Amino acid sequence: MTSVEAFRGLYYPNKIGRLCFLSLEEVMGQNGVKALLRLADLQQYIDAYPPNDLKREFPFEAISKYSVALGTMYGPRGARGLELRAGRVAFSLGLKEFGPLLGMADLALKLMPITMKLKIVLNATAQTFDRFSDQSSHVEEERGRFVYHITRCSNCITRPEPGPVFYIARGILEEATAWVSGGRRFAVEQLSCMGQGNCSSCAFAIGKDPLE
């Protein structure tokens, strides 16, 4: 079992860091993001978001720092709602940047059964992070659900009280499944958190049947 301390010194591409801040800006406004970055001790990004390139220079620690700061600013419930919304926006923005590279705009998706669509979009999401960042992800299929595993996670680092609270990742998965299914919603739940020390991945269960 890997200590989350081993995840220090790992990076996302600048493009993903930029998308994170643009997503937060969409739900908090520019002034809200500036206040968040000050509280999170990430002042270097105020009015200077990462460039729109694929160089791996956006540190894992930045994700957990601003997540913890959101909890301080808005409380657990408020932060949860903001991060879920930001995650949904992040998928939509990321689809425009990474979708063509992974064939996610393929019209053939429309003709596939819903379970196959879910499998494709979840694997494509995992492959995006695997290919372009130091985050390691994979998807397993089980009876009645998919399980999305993150085995190198940015949300556990520097968090004083680790727990299954990677809501931005959950929001991304919620929006991914909604997008590929034409707007239907699926149950997404975080099952485990490596920061708690009793598992080998931060895992999310995604139901195969829509909620409606």
Side-chain angles (χ1 to χ4, degrees), residues 30-104:
Q30 287 186 351
N31 290 335
V33 174
K34 288 178 181 179
L36 175 68
L37 294 175
R38 290 190 189 96
L39 184 61
D41 195 24
L42 294 170
Q43 295 95 329
Q44 68 269 33
Y45 297 115
I46 295 175
D47 294 324
Y49 291 172
N52 193 25
D53 62 42
L54 293 173
K55 293 179 181 178
R56 296 189 188 189
E57 296 175 338
F58 187 71
F60 269 30
E61 292 95 320
I63 299 291
S64 57
K65 279 185 174 183
Y66 77 62
S67 180
V68 170
L70 274 171
T72 301
M73 288 176 70
Y74 295 100
R77 179 176 291 186
R80 174 181 180 272
L82 285 169
E83 290 190 80
L84 285 171
R85 288 166 57 199
R88 294 175 190 132
V89 174
F91 176 81
S92 298
L93 295 177
L95 187 65
K96 297 173 185 177
E97 298 286 343
F98 294 102
L101 298 175
L102 297 166
M104 290 305 298

Side-chain angles (χ1 to χ4, degrees), residues 68-184:
V68 170
L70 274 171
T72 301
M73 288 176 70
Y74 295 100
R77 179 176 291 186
R80 174 181 180 272
L82 285 169
E83 290 190 80
L84 285 171
R85 288 166 57 199
R88 294 175 190 132
V89 174
F91 176 81
S92 298
L93 295 177
L95 187 65
K96 297 173 185 177
E97 298 286 343
F98 294 102
L101 298 175
L102 297 166
M104 290 305 298
D106 192 343
L107 293 177
L109 276 173
K110 297 182 181 295
L111 305 177
M112 294 179 181
I114 189 65
T115 300
M116 182 61 69
K117 290 180 180 180
L118 293 176
K119 185 173 184 177
I120 288 173
V121 77
L122 292 172
N123 276 297
T125 302
Q127 289 166 16
T128 298
F129 287 104
D130 269 6
R131 178 176 171 184
F132 297 107
S133 80
D134 292 330
Q135 179 176 303
S136 178
S137 312
H138 68 276
V139 180
E140 295 179 349
E141 185 172 1
E142 299 180 354
R143 185 180 182 87
R145 70 181 188 179
F146 292 97
V147 181
Y148 187 102
H149 294 275
I150 301 175
T151 53
R152 286 204 298 266
C153 178
S154 59
N155 197 53
C156 301
I157 308 170
T158 76
R159 186 172 289 279
E161 295 180 3
V165 291
F166 201 174
Y167 295 122
I168 285 186
R170 178 175 157 184
I172 289 172
L173 297 174
E174 288 180 351
E175 190 61 25
T177 54
W179 173 80
V180 82
S181 64
R184 302 169 95 177

